[in-house]
Amino acid sequence: SGDNNVSVIDIKKNSVIKTIEVGALPLGIAINPANKRAYVANHDDGTVSVIDTANDSVVSTIKVGNSPWYIGLDSAKNRIYVTNRGDNTVSVINTADNRVVETIKVGAQPLGIAVDADNNRAYVANHKDLSVSIIDTKNNKAIGEVKLSFTDLDSSYVGSPWGVAVY
């Protein structure tokens, strides 16, 4: 993230074969094999870089919310969901045309996100307010929240959620 790039690794040779320049302070990444694209959340410039994985080049840059962190993919609906920590939102991007189609208000400081395409849900870990927001991905609306408990008064990080998984 400090060099503002993405490394492409040959997994057979365990070596970097290309470095792709992206936006400022890249954090989360999602790969969509169906359209041969990688999506990179660039924290410091509020964008998502779209990389064509067939030729390893940036083909688009999408403006999203403040301080994007992680990305969830719903390949069935051609959508990616980007958490924006700085403005407590999730940006929904249509991967067919790389446009933001919705901005959803969630809890404080959203970080991790997981999409359950089979059940039309996305789950967002809200770091600051110790909760998980639930998004209905059919209509891109927040429909609920699960409150978590704080376990350590000595740290703002212990007990605060950073990620979420669906299985």
Side-chain angles (χ1 to χ4, degrees), residues 12-162:
K12 291 180 183 171
K13 296 179 182 177
N14 293 327
S15 62
V16 175
I17 57 174
K18 187 163 187 178
T19 302
I20 305 167
E21 296 297 318
V22 293
L25 196 65
L27 293 178
I29 188 168
I31 309 291
N32 186 353
N35 68 359
K36 297 184 175 150
R37 298 287 190 259
Y39 302 89
V40 181
N42 303 307
H43 179 271
D44 281 4
D45 62 13
T47 65
V48 170
S49 295
V50 182
I51 298 172
D52 180 338
T53 60
N55 63 20
D56 297 330
S57 64
V58 174
V59 294
S60 183
T61 302
I62 306 162
K63 188 73 177 153
V64 291
N66 186 13
S67 306
W69 273 65
Y70 295 121
I71 298 174
L73 169 68
D74 185 343
S75 57
K77 292 183 190 67
N78 297 315
R79 300 279 191 263
I80 61 169
Y81 294 80
V82 183
T83 58
N84 302 305
R85 183 178 185 178
D87 58 13
N88 307 324
T89 64
V90 171
S91 296
V92 183
I93 296 173
N94 179 342
T95 61
D97 60 11
N98 294 327
R99 288 184 320 106
V100 174
V101 295
E102 193 76 53
T103 302
I104 305 165
K105 194 77 170 158
V106 292
Q109 295 184 359
L111 297 180
I113 186 164
V115 176
D116 179 358
D118 292 339
N119 293 301
N120 299 306
R121 296 289 184 262
Y123 299 90
V124 180
N126 302 308
H127 181 73
K128 187 172 184 180
D129 68 1
L130 303 169
S131 69
V132 174
S133 292
I134 304 165
I135 295 172
D136 179 340
T137 59
K138 279 173 53 173
N139 62 22
N140 292 319
K141 304 289 181 206
I143 59 168
E145 182 178 78
V146 177
K147 285 294 199 181
L148 306 173
S149 62
F150 191 65
T151 59
D152 186 348
L153 299 177
D154 294 332
S155 172
S156 64
Y157 296 107
V158 175
S160 295
W162 284 77

